[in-house]
Amino acid sequence: MDYLSSLNPQQREAVECTEGPLMIIAGAGSGKTRVLTIRIAHLIHQKGVDPFQILSLTFTNKAASEMKQRIEKLIGLEARNTWMGTFHSVFAKILRVEAGKLGYPSNFTIYDTEDSKSLIRSIVKEKKLDDKVYKPNTVLSRISGAKNRLISWQTYLNDPYVRADDEAALKPKMGEIYKTYQERLFKSSAMDFDDLLFNTNVLFRDHPDILNKYQQRFRYVMVDEFQDTNLSQYLITKKLAAVHQNICVVGDDAQSIYAFRGADIQNILNFEKDYPDLRTVKLEQNYRSTKNIVHTANSIIAKNKAQLKKNIWTANDHGAPIELIKATSDNEEGRIVATTIFEEKNSLQLQNSDFAILYRTNSQSRAMEEALRKMNIAYRIVGGLSFYQRKEIKDLMAYLRFVVNPSDEEAFKRIVNYPKRGIGDTSVEKILVAAYEHDISIWEVITHASSFLSGRSASSLDDFSVMIRSFAMDMERKDAYEVASTVAKQSGILRELYEDKTIEGLNRYENVQELLNAIKEYVDSPENEIKTLGAFLQEIALLTDEDQNKNNQDVVTLMTIHASKGLEFKYVFVVGLEEDLFPSQMMMQSREDLEEERRLFYVATTRAMDRLYLSHAMTRYRYGRLLSCEPSRFLEELDPTYIKVNKKLGSSAASFQFPGREGNNGFVGLKRPAIREGITAKVHTPSPDFKPSNTNNLAEGMQVEHPKFGFGKVLKVETEGANRKASIHFDNFGDKTLLLSFAKLRIVE
């Protein structure tokens, strides 16, 4: 079996170095999975290691399954005896055996996220706490973060700094909820996902005999995607490898993009401190991408200070230059991307599955989806629902449908008690039964509520019907966007989503704003003569008709960059490269945040095999307004040697130029548009003590500091529904209007 001859020298070194601590720095496209697979096969086949003594930890079941299958092909069925799987699956297996030591039965239940949220809702209700303050998402996220840092509820309650944080966040009862949550889990003989790691740490800490048992069992410990481990995961693996010291970690610090899930890049950056005799092997040859793509990716990541230095290279062809697309709007950006896919596919006989569109936030899929539909190009959303199938979008669309057609039963059932207005399932059932028994429309029952219901339900239904009538009156004299904006605000949907400050909540709020943007674009388009809400709904109904073959796997892939990690495509479009979108406005509070965003950009570019397109729009609809957009700072950081500005597809692209010395195509470095005559934009470094202030009392005349725009003076503060905005004159950037729910401002005393 000559599997070693297929490896390059560095890959072979990583495979043959089996004893002692080893760190394999695996650059993008460097054949990491192949090396891991052959390394395990080598341990078993050449070194005679018992497969039961090998522990290999991954982050997805798919990765573990794929590796097992590959090892089986190399050495046969023995491969099945390795302990291989995700952290959660492997340690759940150990906990099943050792559960009695922690007071659990071996058949304990594992709660998923929805189970956990349901339990938290019950606890909040029992404690008579405000469920708008203690939202399940927020509470669960806080508890999860504590467990990942190995903070028990006892430590949580006794830590004055943690308590101070909760009080500052106006959630002083968080510790009590955590305590009750854990007690109820234990009483139910249940663990949540985070408990599987937390309790494994407790098991090894409190029972040295058990720890020793597994230390002896696992002579060889391997961890894939090591840059994505959190504190809890790292400590478990470190303890297990403490006796034999045969620990092999594989990863790439340049692809560490999951800090929001608790991943700690310091685990890989500081690994050598824990293992002074560490051997490091760098896999630097990229087998995936062209030279132009590899060099471009290198020029991006080189700007990060916190990194393990490596020189990624490839023997592949130079390939085509990276195409930079400048669109006038997000709508045009979608059209250009769809047109490019259509043309490349037909001229080069490519498949839809050769193409991927990557974006920073899920809400960006809307313009791409609509453009692809119009070109009749099949696609799928990965890691998320199609834009118009997302709950928050369906909720608002149901309101709009019911305003247009108050006989729409499905729309009625969806909206009558959302947001909650005291009309329960029993009342809804009575309304439906009454409509059927009296052979009248639901709307007739609703408008004569007191004849069919009594008490609070009848009163609430009367209020509901008055609200719908007012929306219907608006529809007779206003365009689709004006009506939809009114519905979104007065129905309470926007307020409900706005008050959820978790990442999921912010995404849902952004998605509803994106739907309003779509309606605004529809109204503003000269192609649409009729601007009514009914006309818009008809177009969307036709647009979203599921007439594509669901079994057809030849589809263009749309996904967030986070979801794309580990994948590869021949043609990749990275869209929405604009300031405050990518890098995200929420990730500019520190150099660490910004470097994570840059790593995310690096991950996006390294998904491409043959062609890479980067696009941005000059204007984008956000919050119902057409806003001017500034090109992302990341575009400035690209080495212009490998870039070509696309003049063919967008008329606006021809105006996009790289001023300076003549180089490739005469373009050198990206120049951002002038912000205002006579004002030069300078890079601002936030003050050392920069910390965003509470802007509830922000007033005209105050001096503020923004992490990107620097110092400025508040000109005006406006309130429009849930959206508080401030107009600020910045010394180096001129006038800016910022949405205060997202802007990070420090009020200067």
Side-chain angles (χ1 to χ4, degrees), residues 82-314:
T82 57
W83 280 61
M84 184 179 294
T86 64
F87 279 89
H88 291 94
S89 66
V90 168
F91 297 124
K93 191 174 172 182
I94 289 175
L95 286 172
R96 291 275 181 219
V97 176
E98 312 296 347
K101 297 285 192 295
L102 299 174
Y104 280 87
S106 60
N107 65 340
F108 62 82
T109 302
I110 299 173
Y111 273 14
D112 64 15
T113 303
E114 288 310 310
D115 294 326
S116 294
K117 287 180 185 176
S118 178
L119 176 54
I120 288 167
R121 282 190 201 97
S122 300
I123 293 168
V124 168
K125 188 175 181 181
E126 288 163 16
K127 290 182 177 293
K128 297 183 170 53
L129 298 171
D130 188 341
D131 58 5
K132 291 185 175 61
V133 174
Y134 295 96
K135 295 184 177 181
N137 273 342
T138 308
V139 175
L140 186 57
S141 176
R142 182 72 167 164
I143 292 173
S144 176
K147 288 182 183 179
N148 286 334
R149 296 193 306 279
L150 300 180
I151 299 172
S152 65
W153 66 259
Q154 293 94 334
T155 304
Y156 193 104
L157 279 173
N158 291 318
D159 189 321
Y161 295 105
V162 171
R163 289 206 310 273
D165 278 350
D166 285 344
E167 284 169 11
L170 304 180
K171 296 176 176 64
K173 301 293 184 182
M174 196 71 85
E176 288 181 28
I177 297 173
Y178 183 10
K179 175 178 183 287
T180 307
Y181 174 73
Q182 287 306 120
E183 288 173 344
R184 294 276 281 277
L185 280 174
F186 188 75
K187 192 173 181 182
S188 302
S189 297
M191 298 185 197
D192 66 16
F193 265 64
D194 295 309
D195 283 330
L196 297 176
L197 301 178
F198 184 92
N199 286 337
T200 302
N201 271 295
V202 171
L203 178 70
F204 290 163
R205 181 196 70 196
D206 296 348
H207 300 277
D209 55 326
I210 302 296
L211 173 59
N212 184 59
K213 170 181 164 183
Y214 289 99
Q215 285 173 334
Q216 298 303 329
R217 174 170 295 177
F218 300 129
R219 283 180 54 204
Y220 295 87
V221 178
M222 296 171 65
V223 185
D224 191 12
E225 302 288 3
F226 186 63
Q227 75 280 350
D228 295 334
T229 54
N230 59 35
L231 175 66
S232 180
Q233 290 162 331
Y234 179 42
L235 289 181
I236 292 171
T237 51
K238 188 180 172 186
K239 285 175 183 174
L240 285 173
V243 172
H244 298 290
Q245 297 278 302
N246 295 326
I247 181 169
C248 170
V249 300
V250 187
D252 181 6
D253 59 296
Q255 297 184 64
S256 177
I257 57 173
Y258 293 122
F260 67 93
R261 290 186 194 164
D264 188 353
I265 192 175
Q266 297 305 318
N267 288 350
I268 192 167
L269 293 179
N270 297 327
F271 192 63
E272 193 171 1
K273 291 181 180 176
D274 286 337
Y275 297 94
D277 55 343
L278 177 72
R279 185 166 173 180
T280 300
V281 177
K282 296 181 181 180
L283 306 183
E284 297 174 306
Q285 182 175 358
N286 180 302
Y287 292 93
R288 175 186 298 156
S289 309
T290 64
K291 280 188 172 70
N292 279 326
I293 292 170
V294 169
H295 292 324
T296 298
N298 286 346
S299 73
I300 292 163
I301 203 63
K303 305 296 188 296
N304 271 12
K305 291 182 180 178
Q307 63 171 302
L308 300 168
K309 291 294 181 185
K310 51 195 164 296
N311 178 36
I312 306 300
W313 62 279
T314 185

